[in-house]
Amino acid sequence: MKFTRRHFIKNSLFLGSSLLFSPLSLHAGPKNRIRWIPAYEKLEMEGKLVQKIKQADAYFENCQLCPRKCGVNRKKGEKGFCRAPVKPVIFSYHPHFGEEMSLVGEKGSGAIFFSNCNLRCVFCQNWPISHEGRGKEIGDEDLADMMLHLQKIGCHNINLVTPTHVMPNILSATRTALKKGLHIPLVYNTSGYERLEVLKLLDGIIDIYMPDMKYMDTDKASKYSAGASDYPEVTKKAILEMHRQVGVLKLDKRGIAIRGVIIRHLVMPNRVAGTEKLVKWMAETLPKSTYVNIMAQYRVEYKAYDHPEIARGITAQEFLEAMDSAEKYGLTNLDPQSVALRNFYRHRRSN
Ligand code: SF4
């Protein structure tokens, strides 16, 4: 049965709430305002986007889209580590209000949740989507329609959640949507486990990169992310490349993100995530004004119960220690919600 947008909307778990929001264009406002142009539109104007789409599509025949480098032919139905087919599988798409404030704005971040994942962490907070691949398989044209729908209802960006294994589909859908009027930034919301070669293909297409930096130690990465011992080195290089492409986060006059890097780091129990090493590396390698979100919302999910070291939530003390490290190394652009939580815990401790 052909999967239509109407069908998807009916089955999406979250979309109902999105229908409450009225349209808002990123470019709405005074007639003489200069229109902000997304990177992918500039690339299309230069005639280079179509070539990148062809190069990306070729990856499916010998899949090397991520550092797992499975080499499977996804066009022939073969599946690699991520178990993803050649078409994108979508769990849901909707305005998301739980992201960073500069992505959410008034109308929400236009999140598209792709099923399957190339990292597969034991503590995955989205495990029914990422590990079990729940969702609907769709075509690239449908994906383009979803992007346009999110823009139409006022979302400030297209937030591509776990995009690595479907990057070629995203590029193809972006060009289709561009021809029909897409003009808001793409947010590449990734685990950070990305190949440099693939990121270079995205140069000039993505305006906002939002990588995780999950661990700084190879043994932790291997243990909790399915043998990905190279995660720390690979992700550090990936973040440097992302920064080279788009730089420090820039906001428009309304405080909405339009270009740059947002680094996310989830504090884990028992210093598993290596927060101090991360902030030291950032302070020594990137501008101190790099936006970093040190997150406190770790919870025990999926198979984390099998690992005593991570089978509990974090304490206020562990979060404060992480935030104190960021301060100690001079990072100046910490996520405001993390700062507010830090201030709350500090206040509570001092009373
Ligand atoms: S995207 Fe999937 S199939 Fe391709 S290399 Fe990565 S894990 Fe393997």
Side-chain angles (χ1 to χ4, degrees), residues 312-326:
R312 65 164 172 83
I314 64 163
T315 62
Q317 182 53 37
E318 283 170 328
F319 179 67
L320 280 175
E321 189 182 290
M323 293 296 284
D324 289 347
S325 292

Side-chain angles (χ1 to χ4, degrees), residues 63-66 68-72 74 80-82 118 165:
C63 194
Q64 315 255 334
L65 277 170
C66 84
R68 302 275 185 193
K69 293 200 230 174
C70 301
V72 293
R74 288 170 60 186
F81 178 83
C82 63
N118 66 325
H165 56 289

